[in-house]
Amino acid sequence: MELNLSFLFFVFFISLSFSPFLHSASVPSGLENGSYSNSHSRRLFVKSQPQKSADVAKGYMTNSELEAAIMAFGKRCSNISRIYSIGTSVNGVPLWVIEISDKPGQEEAEPAFKYIGNIHGDEPVGRELLMLLANWICDNYLKDPSATLVVESVHLHILPSMNPDGFSLKQRGNANNIDLNRDFPDQFFPMNDDAFGRQPETTAIMRWSREIHFTASASLHGGALVANYPWDGTQDKRRNYYACPDDDTFRFLASVYSRFHHNMSLSDEFQGGITNGASWYPIYGGMQDWNYIHAGSFELTLEISDNKWPPANELATLWNYNRRSMLNLVLSLVQTGVHGRIFSSDSGRPLPGFITVEGINYTVKTRRVFADYHRLLAPGGRYIVMATVPGYRSKTTHIWLEEAATTVDFILDPVVTPKGNLLQSACECNCGSLSRYGFVDFFQGGHFEVYAILIVALGFLCFLFQRRIKHNLSKQRQYGPKRPVAV
Ligand SMILES: *[C@@H]1O[C@H](CO)[C@@H](O)[C@H](O)[C@H]1NC(C)=O
Ligand SMILES: *[C@@H]1O[C@H](CO)[C@@H](O)[C@H](O)[C@H]1NC(C)=O
Ligand SMILES: *[C@@H]1O[C@H](CO)[C@@H](O)[C@H](O)[C@H]1NC(C)=O
Ligand SMILES: [Zn+2]
């Protein structure tokens, strides 16, 4: 009897653990007509929801309509986009992402931006506006300069819905009724630190953010009209302005959004239409602070409509109110800040490393393949920028940042150890002057044969060595746009 019971449990668990695979195997293309939450294998986990009025969702895309719209976009705009999924929700809905770029899916020395909509299931305006944004860019590429600039100099990743289950349940949290914007690891309190306790939507975002290395990002919310920036929490849990190291940069980025919005900057409640998160109301486990601390991404939380779920006939107006802001926030990645790459002077290769700015306790990492960095900074300031790579001598440069972006490439010398590169030390010891003037002296002396052979050989090696460096440097540097400054 005991054995039979445990056998039954065994069968039960095996079927539970296989049911997600069975489910996804039956929906290979990801395009299906019905709602995913109807899947019987998932019913076990989802508590039944009270029937709510369907009116509120009228005119909004359902999850399967959104999926179809994403796939249709991918087909229509295949020359400048790619569709991929970063995981699935609790109920098994794929979290589809649209990447927009002239070289989607490829590594380039360009910054990446991500937009996330619908992290709160009952705030669906963002998911609609993000589809309108993607389609607008596709329609206006090579016609409108902003659309063209986004496609050609940024990799824009758009996740229209981070919480499709919450959307279909018309609730803030996901299918487990967890608020995803409280589910990230927190800097002040040891909450959400257990990787296995996290929601699948949160895990997907964290893995994705570590993989792509976004320069900046924003999530779209509803219920207010304001651009919110870090920190979101305070150490003492009190409501207070709590500035992060990049407070000036963030105030600038948030202002880009509010300034180009229809009337966000006219807010009575928030001066200039922007707010520090903690001075509004502190939250813990939010996505915004996590991005800045752990993913190197300057993230804003954008509240884009006072009404969380406005009638669908207002969506076109909301799109008009937000269009310029959404585009210009992405474009601030290439129109402001300091950008460039780090190279090694001995081989000319890209050198992944770190960029710091004096007076700002924050380190920006270069990206791996091209060692390009994109350091957002508030315009109109004097900055001292330093490039650091272990094993190389750091270099520092002063810049005056106007409204436009500045480009600075760093070419770093290796730290020469006593038993370092002999050939390089020989070349650095002025072998140019030796070969020019040295010969004369030696030829005038009697014992020149041995020296002459040695010097000619050394000179030839130096020549080969320096030619290789120049060749490598010019080969590497021709990838990016024209680089006016190198230090
Ligand atoms: C989805 O529905 C359409 C019409 O409503 C039908 O033509 C199509 O075959 C259906 N697709 C699947 C996968 O059930
Ligand atoms: C912005 O405009 C909308 C629509 O015209 C209006 O409802 C809202 O109150 C305005 N908000 C501010 C802060 O001016
Ligand atoms: C800089 O930030 C780190 C955390 O990222 C912190 O540990 C350190 O104390 C800060 N340093 C200063 C000088 O504020
Ligand atoms: Zn929200």
Side-chain angles (χ1 to χ4, degrees):
M1 188 60 200
E2 234 175 60
L3 195 119
N4 276 352
L5 256 184
S6 33
F7 179 71
L8 274 178
F9 268 110
F10 178 74
V11 171
F12 178 67
F13 277 111
I14 287 291
S15 47
L16 270 192
S17 42
F18 273 99
S19 52
F21 298 106
L22 290 176
H23 176 66
S24 57
S26 67
V27 192
S29 74
L31 276 168
E32 80 168 343
N33 285 342
S35 159
Y36 284 88
S37 50
N38 288 338
S39 157
H40 61 272
S41 63
R42 301 287 179 175
R43 276 254 162 92
L44 286 167
F45 306 105
V46 183
K47 64 177 194 308
S48 64
Q49 292 289 319
Q51 282 292 321
K52 287 183 188 165
S53 152
D55 290 343
V56 76
K58 212 174 116 194
Y60 283 80
M61 286 180 274
T62 64
N63 284 337
S64 29
E65 283 165 352
L66 175 63
E67 186 175 54
I70 291 170
M71 296 307 159
F73 176 89
K75 251 194 198 140
R76 187 169 79 86
C77 310
S78 59
N79 56 329
I80 56 154
S81 72
R82 136 184 109 106
I83 310 296
Y84 63 100
S85 158
I86 57 164
T88 51
S89 69
V90 170
N91 285 346
V93 182
L95 303 172
W96 292 115
V97 174
I98 297 172
E99 178 187 354
I100 296 180
S101 158
D102 56 346
K103 295 202 180 77
Q106 290 180 40
E107 275 290 337
E108 290 188 275
E110 291 181 359
F113 188 100
K114 73 173 186 291
Y115 266 126
I116 294 183
N118 200 205
I119 177 173
H120 288 139
D122 60 350
E123 296 165 16
V125 172
R127 62 189 243 150
E128 296 277 344
L129 297 201
L130 287 175
M131 286 312 297
L132 290 167
L133 175 69
N135 281 289
W136 187 88
I137 293 171
C138 178
D139 291 339
N140 289 282
Y141 173 49
L142 300 178
K143 291 179 202 142
D144 177 282
S146 301
T148 309
L149 195 54
V150 168
V151 172
E152 290 179 351
S153 28
V154 179
H155 284 247
L156 171 60
H157 299 251
I158 296 174
L159 171 63
S161 178
M162 174 174 164
N163 184 7
D165 299 344
F167 173 82
S168 58
L169 295 164
K170 300 185 185 67
Q171 69 183 22
R172 180 180 179 87
N174 68 351
N176 294 328
N177 212 6
I178 301 291
D179 185 337
L180 298 175
N181 204 29
R182 306 288 186 278
D183 197 39
F184 286 79
D186 191 82
Q187 63 172 324
F188 299 121
F189 301 102
M191 55 195 292
N192 308 327
D193 287 345
D194 172 18
F196 298 101
R198 245 170 249 141
Q199 299 303 304
E201 295 89 349
T202 314
T203 304
I205 298 293
M206 288 171 65
R207 195 175 46 220
W208 179 39
S209 305
R210 287 189 173 119
E211 190 186 310
I212 305 266
H213 192 159
F214 298 103
T215 297
S217 46
S219 71
L220 300 177
H221 294 248
L225 195 62
V226 66
N228 175 111
Y229 55 90
W231 298 126
D232 255 341
T234 55
Q235 193 130 34
D236 58 6
K237 291 214 165 191
R238 293 233 293 271
R239 193 187 136 194
N240 247 326
Y241 197 112
Y242 213 67
C244 74
D246 270 295
D247 197 52
D248 289 340
T249 317
F250 273 111
R251 291 175 62 83
F252 165 73
L253 287 175
S255 303
V256 166
Y257 201 91
S258 75
R259 202 168 64 227
F260 288 99
H261 185 274
H262 167 64
N263 63 0
M264 187 181 276
S265 62
L266 305 177
S267 169
D268 293 329
E269 192 182 355
F270 306 102
Q271 202 188 351
I274 66 173
T275 187
N276 171 267
S279 81
W280 186 16
Y281 62 97
I283 69 160
Y284 300 92
M287 181 162 74
Q288 172 176 272
D289 291 1
W290 182 86
N291 263 281
Y292 178 60
I293 299 168
H294 297 284
S297 180
F298 286 56
E299 173 143 312
L300 300 177
T301 304
L302 303 170
E303 303 280 352
I304 56 170
S305 65
D306 282 319
N307 190 349
K308 280 191 183 205
W309 207 315
N313 63 13
E314 290 178 19
L315 287 170
T317 307
L318 287 166
W319 162 238
N320 280 328
Y321 288 178
N322 286 279
R323 183 170 56 87
R324 270 286 121 211
S325 303
M326 291 171 92
L327 282 164
N328 285 345
L329 184 62
V330 176
L331 287 177
S332 65
L333 257 59
V334 288
Q335 291 179 333
T336 58
V338 52
H339 306 255
R341 298 172 64 188
I342 307 180
F343 297 98
S344 100
S345 69
D346 60 346
S347 65
R349 284 184 198 295
L351 213 55
F354 307 94
I355 298 291
T356 47
V357 176
E358 201 173 290
I360 304 179
N361 184 17
Y362 188 78
T363 301
V364 166
K365 270 195 218 164
T366 67
R367 288 143 56 84
R368 263 167 296 142
V369 178
F370 294 108
D372 54 314
Y373 69 91
H374 308 277
R375 207 323 171 179
L376 298 178
L377 289 165
R382 187 179 174 73
Y383 296 100
I384 303 173
V385 184
M386 182 163 80
T388 315
V389 176
Y392 287 77
R393 284 199 211 99
S394 301
K395 270 191 187 169
T396 296
T397 184
H398 295 242
I399 57 164
W400 172 258
L401 205 58
E402 308 276 358
E403 292 299 317
T406 295
T407 304
V408 180
D409 284 344
F410 289 91
I411 299 167
L412 302 190
D413 301 322
V415 176
V416 181
T417 55
K419 54 179 195 293
N421 193 329
L422 264 181
L423 182 56
Q424 189 190 355
S425 324
C427 293
E428 273 177 358
C429 80
N430 261 335
C431 68
S433 59
L434 225 188
S435 53
R436 221 163 292 147
Y437 307 111
F439 271 119
V440 185
D441 296 339
F442 280 109
F443 274 102
Q444 281 166 355
H447 51 286
F448 61 81
E449 296 95 343
V450 177
Y451 290 104
I453 290 168
L454 271 177
I455 287 167
V456 168
L458 191 63
F460 185 64
L461 282 176
C462 282
F463 168 73
L464 285 183
F465 181 71
Q466 283 176 344
R467 208 178 65 148
R468 201 190 74 200
I469 292 174
K470 285 202 182 106
H471 175 72
N472 280 344
L473 266 178
S474 60
K475 201 172 75 183
Q476 291 299 340
R477 285 158 62 83
Q478 77 200 10
Y479 283 109
K482 206 165 160 257
R483 302 289 183 193
V485 188
V487 294

Short mmCIF file of all heavy atoms in Angstrom, two decimals, residues 339-384:
data_model
loop_
_atom_site.label_atom_id
_atom_site.label_comp_id
_atom_site.label_asym_id
_atom_site.label_seq_id
_atom_site.Cartn_x
_atom_site.Cartn_y
_atom_site.Cartn_z
N HIS A 339 31.51 58.52 -26.17
CA HIS A 339 31.50 57.18 -26.78
C HIS A 339 32.86 56.90 -27.39
O HIS A 339 33.58 57.82 -27.75
CB HIS A 339 30.45 57.11 -27.90
CG HIS A 339 29.08 57.53 -27.47
ND1 HIS A 339 28.08 56.63 -27.25
CD2 HIS A 339 28.56 58.75 -27.20
CE1 HIS A 339 26.98 57.29 -26.86
NE2 HIS A 339 27.26 58.57 -26.82
N GLY A 340 33.16 55.64 -27.58
CA GLY A 340 34.41 55.29 -28.26
C GLY A 340 34.76 53.85 -27.98
O GLY A 340 33.92 53.05 -27.59
N ARG A 341 36.05 53.56 -28.20
CA ARG A 341 36.51 52.19 -28.00
C ARG A 341 37.87 52.23 -27.32
O ARG A 341 38.55 53.25 -27.32
CB ARG A 341 36.61 51.48 -29.35
CG ARG A 341 35.27 51.36 -30.05
CD ARG A 341 35.40 50.82 -31.47
NE ARG A 341 35.90 49.45 -31.44
CZ ARG A 341 36.25 48.79 -32.55
NH1 ARG A 341 36.16 49.36 -33.73
NH2 ARG A 341 36.70 47.55 -32.47
N ILE A 342 38.27 51.10 -26.76
CA ILE A 342 39.60 50.98 -26.18
C ILE A 342 40.39 49.99 -27.02
O ILE A 342 39.89 48.91 -27.35
CB ILE A 342 39.54 50.49 -24.71
CG1 ILE A 342 38.59 51.36 -23.87
CG2 ILE A 342 40.93 50.49 -24.10
CD1 ILE A 342 38.50 50.94 -22.41
N PHE A 343 41.62 50.40 -27.38
CA PHE A 343 42.50 49.53 -28.16
C PHE A 343 43.81 49.33 -27.41
O PHE A 343 44.21 50.18 -26.62
CB PHE A 343 42.84 50.18 -29.51
CG PHE A 343 41.66 50.40 -30.39
CD1 PHE A 343 41.04 51.65 -30.44
CD2 PHE A 343 41.17 49.38 -31.19
CE1 PHE A 343 39.95 51.86 -31.27
CE2 PHE A 343 40.08 49.59 -32.02
CZ PHE A 343 39.47 50.82 -32.06
N SER A 344 44.49 48.25 -27.73
CA SER A 344 45.83 48.07 -27.16
C SER A 344 46.84 48.60 -28.17
O SER A 344 46.69 48.42 -29.38
CB SER A 344 46.06 46.60 -26.84
OG SER A 344 46.82 46.01 -27.85
N SER A 345 47.85 49.29 -27.67
CA SER A 345 48.83 49.90 -28.58
C SER A 345 49.78 48.85 -29.15
O SER A 345 50.40 49.07 -30.17
CB SER A 345 49.62 50.99 -27.86
OG SER A 345 50.47 50.39 -26.90
N ASP A 346 49.90 47.70 -28.48
CA ASP A 346 50.88 46.75 -29.00
C ASP A 346 50.33 45.87 -30.11
O ASP A 346 51.02 45.51 -31.03
CB ASP A 346 51.50 45.90 -27.87
CG ASP A 346 50.46 45.10 -27.10
OD1 ASP A 346 49.26 45.39 -27.26
OD2 ASP A 346 50.85 44.19 -26.36
N SER A 347 49.05 45.56 -30.06
CA SER A 347 48.51 44.70 -31.11
C SER A 347 47.45 45.40 -31.93
O SER A 347 47.07 44.93 -32.99
CB SER A 347 47.91 43.44 -30.48
OG SER A 347 46.79 43.80 -29.70
N GLY A 348 46.95 46.53 -31.43
CA GLY A 348 45.88 47.23 -32.12
C GLY A 348 44.52 46.60 -31.93
O GLY A 348 43.53 47.03 -32.52
N ARG A 349 44.45 45.58 -31.10
CA ARG A 349 43.18 44.90 -30.90
C ARG A 349 42.28 45.65 -29.94
O ARG A 349 42.77 46.37 -29.09
CB ARG A 349 43.43 43.51 -30.32
CG ARG A 349 43.93 42.57 -31.34
CD ARG A 349 44.10 41.15 -30.84
NE ARG A 349 44.98 40.45 -31.76
CZ ARG A 349 44.70 40.20 -33.03
NH1 ARG A 349 43.55 40.58 -33.54
NH2 ARG A 349 45.55 39.58 -33.82
N PRO A 350 40.94 45.44 -30.07
CA PRO A 350 40.02 46.02 -29.08
C PRO A 350 40.31 45.41 -27.71
O PRO A 350 40.61 44.22 -27.60
CB PRO A 350 38.63 45.59 -29.55
CG PRO A 350 38.79 44.92 -30.85
CD PRO A 350 40.23 44.64 -31.08
N LEU A 351 40.22 46.25 -26.70
CA LEU A 351 40.62 45.86 -25.36
C LEU A 351 39.44 46.09 -24.41
O LEU A 351 39.20 47.20 -23.97
CB LEU A 351 41.78 46.77 -24.96
CG LEU A 351 42.89 46.28 -24.06
CD1 LEU A 351 43.51 45.02 -24.63
CD2 LEU A 351 43.94 47.37 -23.95
N PRO A 352 38.68 45.07 -24.10
CA PRO A 352 37.55 45.27 -23.18
C PRO A 352 38.05 45.77 -21.82
O PRO A 352 39.03 45.24 -21.31
CB PRO A 352 36.93 43.88 -23.07
CG PRO A 352 37.37 43.17 -24.30
CD PRO A 352 38.74 43.69 -24.61
N GLY A 353 37.41 46.80 -21.31
CA GLY A 353 37.86 47.38 -20.05
C GLY A 353 36.78 48.24 -19.43
O GLY A 353 35.59 47.98 -19.62
N PHE A 354 37.21 49.27 -18.71
CA PHE A 354 36.29 50.05 -17.88
C PHE A 354 36.47 51.54 -18.11
O PHE A 354 37.58 52.02 -18.31
CB PHE A 354 36.54 49.72 -16.41
CG PHE A 354 36.49 48.25 -16.13
CD1 PHE A 354 37.66 47.49 -16.14
CD2 PHE A 354 35.28 47.60 -15.93
CE1 PHE A 354 37.63 46.13 -15.91
CE2 PHE A 354 35.24 46.22 -15.71
CZ PHE A 354 36.42 45.49 -15.69
N ILE A 355 35.36 52.26 -18.05
CA ILE A 355 35.37 53.71 -18.18
C ILE A 355 34.82 54.31 -16.89
O ILE A 355 33.72 53.94 -16.45
CB ILE A 355 34.50 54.17 -19.37
CG1 ILE A 355 35.04 53.60 -20.70
CG2 ILE A 355 34.39 55.68 -19.43
CD1 ILE A 355 36.36 54.18 -21.16
N THR A 356 35.59 55.21 -16.30
CA THR A 356 35.08 55.91 -15.13
C THR A 356 35.18 57.41 -15.36
O THR A 356 35.97 57.87 -16.19
CB THR A 356 35.87 55.54 -13.86
OG1 THR A 356 37.26 55.62 -14.15
CG2 THR A 356 35.53 54.15 -13.37
N VAL A 357 34.36 58.16 -14.63
CA VAL A 357 34.35 59.61 -14.74
C VAL A 357 34.62 60.17 -13.36
O VAL A 357 33.97 59.75 -12.38
CB VAL A 357 33.00 60.10 -15.28
CG1 VAL A 357 32.95 61.62 -15.31
CG2 VAL A 357 32.74 59.54 -16.68
N GLU A 358 35.58 61.07 -13.27
CA GLU A 358 35.96 61.60 -11.97
C GLU A 358 34.76 62.24 -11.27
O GLU A 358 34.00 63.00 -11.87
CB GLU A 358 37.07 62.65 -12.13
CG GLU A 358 37.85 62.87 -10.85
CD GLU A 358 39.04 63.78 -11.08
OE1 GLU A 358 40.00 63.34 -11.74
OE2 GLU A 358 39.00 64.93 -10.61
N GLY A 359 34.57 61.89 -10.01
CA GLY A 359 33.47 62.46 -9.24
C GLY A 359 32.17 61.68 -9.32
O GLY A 359 31.21 62.00 -8.65
N ILE A 360 32.13 60.65 -10.18
CA ILE A 360 30.92 59.81 -10.28
C ILE A 360 31.32 58.38 -9.94
O ILE A 360 32.10 57.76 -10.67
CB ILE A 360 30.30 59.87 -11.69
CG1 ILE A 360 29.98 61.31 -12.09
CG2 ILE A 360 29.04 59.01 -11.74
CD1 ILE A 360 29.38 61.45 -13.49
N ASN A 361 30.79 57.88 -8.84
CA ASN A 361 31.17 56.55 -8.37
C ASN A 361 30.38 55.47 -9.13
O ASN A 361 29.51 54.82 -8.58
CB ASN A 361 30.91 56.46 -6.86
CG ASN A 361 31.37 55.14 -6.28
OD1 ASN A 361 32.14 54.42 -6.91
ND2 ASN A 361 30.88 54.82 -5.09
N TYR A 362 30.71 55.32 -10.41
CA TYR A 362 30.01 54.33 -11.23
C TYR A 362 30.94 53.94 -12.38
O TYR A 362 31.59 54.80 -12.97
CB TYR A 362 28.72 54.91 -11.80
CG TYR A 362 27.84 53.90 -12.50
CD1 TYR A 362 27.05 53.02 -11.77
CD2 TYR A 362 27.81 53.82 -13.88
CE1 TYR A 362 26.25 52.08 -12.41
CE2 TYR A 362 27.01 52.89 -14.53
CZ TYR A 362 26.23 52.02 -13.79
OH TYR A 362 25.43 51.09 -14.43
N THR A 363 31.01 52.65 -12.65
CA THR A 363 31.91 52.16 -13.69
C THR A 363 31.10 51.64 -14.86
O THR A 363 30.18 50.84 -14.69
CB THR A 363 32.79 51.02 -13.13
OG1 THR A 363 33.53 51.55 -12.02
CG2 THR A 363 33.77 50.53 -14.18
N VAL A 364 31.44 52.11 -16.05
CA VAL A 364 30.80 51.60 -17.27
C VAL A 364 31.76 50.61 -17.91
O VAL A 364 32.94 50.91 -18.10
CB VAL A 364 30.48 52.77 -18.24
CG1 VAL A 364 30.15 52.25 -19.63
CG2 VAL A 364 29.33 53.60 -17.70
N LYS A 365 31.25 49.43 -18.22
CA LYS A 365 32.07 48.40 -18.88
C LYS A 365 31.97 48.58 -20.37
O LYS A 365 30.89 48.89 -20.89
CB LYS A 365 31.52 47.01 -18.54
CG LYS A 365 32.10 46.38 -17.30
CD LYS A 365 31.76 44.89 -17.31
CE LYS A 365 31.43 44.42 -15.92
NZ LYS A 365 30.75 43.13 -15.89
N THR A 366 33.06 48.32 -21.08
CA THR A 366 32.95 48.28 -22.54
C THR A 366 32.24 46.99 -22.91
O THR A 366 32.14 46.07 -22.11
CB THR A 366 34.33 48.25 -23.23
OG1 THR A 366 34.96 47.01 -22.91
CG2 THR A 366 35.19 49.41 -22.78
N ARG A 367 31.73 46.95 -24.14
CA ARG A 367 31.17 45.69 -24.60
C ARG A 367 32.31 44.77 -25.01
O ARG A 367 33.44 45.20 -25.19
CB ARG A 367 30.19 45.96 -25.73
CG ARG A 367 28.89 46.62 -25.19
CD ARG A 367 28.35 47.63 -26.13
NE ARG A 367 28.15 47.01 -27.41
CZ ARG A 367 27.04 46.32 -27.73
NH1 ARG A 367 26.05 46.23 -26.88
NH2 ARG A 367 26.93 45.76 -28.89
N ARG A 368 32.02 43.48 -25.12
CA ARG A 368 33.09 42.48 -25.23
C ARG A 368 33.79 42.46 -26.58
O ARG A 368 35.01 42.50 -26.65
CB ARG A 368 32.51 41.08 -24.94
CG ARG A 368 32.73 40.63 -23.51
CD ARG A 368 31.89 39.42 -23.23
NE ARG A 368 30.46 39.76 -23.31
CZ ARG A 368 29.51 38.98 -23.80
NH1 ARG A 368 29.80 37.81 -24.27
NH2 ARG A 368 28.26 39.37 -23.82
N VAL A 369 33.03 42.43 -27.67
CA VAL A 369 33.65 42.14 -28.96
C VAL A 369 34.45 43.31 -29.50
O VAL A 369 35.62 43.18 -29.86
CB VAL A 369 32.57 41.70 -29.98
CG1 VAL A 369 33.21 41.46 -31.34
CG2 VAL A 369 31.86 40.45 -29.49
N PHE A 370 33.84 44.51 -29.53
CA PHE A 370 34.52 45.66 -30.10
C PHE A 370 35.11 46.59 -29.04
O PHE A 370 35.68 47.62 -29.37
CB PHE A 370 33.57 46.44 -31.01
CG PHE A 370 33.17 45.67 -32.23
CD1 PHE A 370 31.89 45.16 -32.36
CD2 PHE A 370 34.09 45.43 -33.24
CE1 PHE A 370 31.52 44.43 -33.48
CE2 PHE A 370 33.73 44.71 -34.36
CZ PHE A 370 32.44 44.20 -34.49
N ALA A 371 34.93 46.24 -27.77
CA ALA A 371 35.42 47.08 -26.67
C ALA A 371 34.90 48.51 -26.81
O ALA A 371 35.62 49.47 -26.53
CB ALA A 371 36.95 47.04 -26.58
N ASP A 372 33.68 48.65 -27.28
CA ASP A 372 33.09 49.99 -27.38
C ASP A 372 32.39 50.32 -26.07
O ASP A 372 31.86 49.44 -25.39
CB ASP A 372 32.10 50.07 -28.55
CG ASP A 372 31.03 48.99 -28.51
OD1 ASP A 372 31.36 47.82 -28.28
OD2 ASP A 372 29.83 49.32 -28.70
N TYR A 373 32.44 51.61 -25.72
CA TYR A 373 31.75 52.06 -24.52
C TYR A 373 30.82 53.20 -24.89
O TYR A 373 31.03 53.91 -25.88
CB TYR A 373 32.75 52.50 -23.44
CG TYR A 373 33.48 53.77 -23.79
CD1 TYR A 373 32.98 55.02 -23.41
CD2 TYR A 373 34.67 53.74 -24.52
CE1 TYR A 373 33.64 56.18 -23.75
CE2 TYR A 373 35.32 54.90 -24.87
CZ TYR A 373 34.80 56.13 -24.48
OH TYR A 373 35.44 57.28 -24.83
N HIS A 374 29.77 53.37 -24.10
CA HIS A 374 28.78 54.41 -24.33
C HIS A 374 28.44 54.99 -22.97
O HIS A 374 27.67 54.41 -22.23
CB HIS A 374 27.56 53.84 -25.05
CG HIS A 374 27.96 53.07 -26.27
ND1 HIS A 374 28.20 53.68 -27.48
CD2 HIS A 374 28.22 51.75 -26.46
CE1 HIS A 374 28.58 52.78 -28.36
NE2 HIS A 374 28.60 51.60 -27.76
N ARG A 375 29.07 56.13 -22.64
CA ARG A 375 28.95 56.67 -21.29
C ARG A 375 28.01 57.88 -21.35
O ARG A 375 28.41 58.96 -21.79
CB ARG A 375 30.35 57.07 -20.82
CG ARG A 375 30.61 57.06 -19.30
CD ARG A 375 29.49 57.50 -18.48
NE ARG A 375 29.69 57.30 -17.05
CZ ARG A 375 28.79 57.66 -16.15
NH1 ARG A 375 27.64 58.21 -16.53
NH2 ARG A 375 29.01 57.48 -14.88
N LEU A 376 26.76 57.67 -20.95
CA LEU A 376 25.80 58.78 -20.94
C LEU A 376 26.20 59.76 -19.84
O LEU A 376 26.60 59.35 -18.75
CB LEU A 376 24.39 58.24 -20.68
CG LEU A 376 23.87 57.27 -21.73
CD1 LEU A 376 22.48 56.76 -21.35
CD2 LEU A 376 23.81 57.94 -23.09
N LEU A 377 26.08 61.05 -20.15
CA LEU A 377 26.40 62.10 -19.17
C LEU A 377 25.53 63.31 -19.47
O LEU A 377 25.14 63.53 -20.62
CB LEU A 377 27.87 62.51 -19.30
CG LEU A 377 28.93 61.51 -18.81
CD1 LEU A 377 30.30 61.88 -19.34
CD2 LEU A 377 28.95 61.45 -17.28
N ALA A 378 25.24 64.09 -18.45
CA ALA A 378 24.47 65.31 -18.68
C ALA A 378 25.31 66.28 -19.51
O ALA A 378 26.49 66.47 -19.23
CB ALA A 378 24.11 65.94 -17.34
N PRO A 379 24.72 66.87 -20.55
CA PRO A 379 25.48 67.81 -21.38
C PRO A 379 25.80 69.10 -20.63
O PRO A 379 25.20 69.39 -19.59
CB PRO A 379 24.56 68.09 -22.56
CG PRO A 379 23.31 67.35 -22.34
CD PRO A 379 23.33 66.73 -20.98
N GLY A 380 26.73 69.86 -21.21
CA GLY A 380 27.07 71.15 -20.63
C GLY A 380 27.96 71.03 -19.41
O GLY A 380 27.84 71.79 -18.46
N GLY A 381 28.88 70.07 -19.41
CA GLY A 381 29.76 69.91 -18.26
C GLY A 381 31.16 69.54 -18.68
O GLY A 381 31.40 69.12 -19.81
N ARG A 382 32.09 69.75 -17.75
CA ARG A 382 33.48 69.36 -17.98
C ARG A 382 33.69 68.04 -17.24
O ARG A 382 33.34 67.92 -16.06
CB ARG A 382 34.38 70.45 -17.40
CG ARG A 382 35.82 70.28 -17.69
CD ARG A 382 36.61 71.44 -17.07
NE ARG A 382 38.03 71.19 -17.23
CZ ARG A 382 38.66 71.29 -18.39
NH1 ARG A 382 38.00 71.68 -19.46
NH2 ARG A 382 39.95 71.02 -18.48
N TYR A 383 34.21 67.06 -17.93
CA TYR A 383 34.38 65.74 -17.32
C TYR A 383 35.80 65.24 -17.53
O TYR A 383 36.44 65.54 -18.55
CB TYR A 383 33.41 64.73 -17.94
CG TYR A 383 31.96 65.04 -17.69
CD1 TYR A 383 31.19 65.66 -18.68
CD2 TYR A 383 31.36 64.73 -16.47
CE1 TYR A 383 29.84 65.95 -18.45
CE2 TYR A 383 30.00 65.01 -16.24
CZ TYR A 383 29.26 65.62 -17.24
OH TYR A 383 27.94 65.91 -17.03
N ILE A 384 36.28 64.49 -16.54
CA ILE A 384 37.57 63.82 -16.67
C ILE A 384 37.28 62.33 -16.79
O ILE A 384 36.75 61.71 -15.87
CB ILE A 384 38.47 64.12 -15.46
CG1 ILE A 384 38.66 65.64 -15.33
CG2 ILE A 384 39.81 63.41 -15.59
CD1 ILE A 384 39.38 66.07 -14.08
#
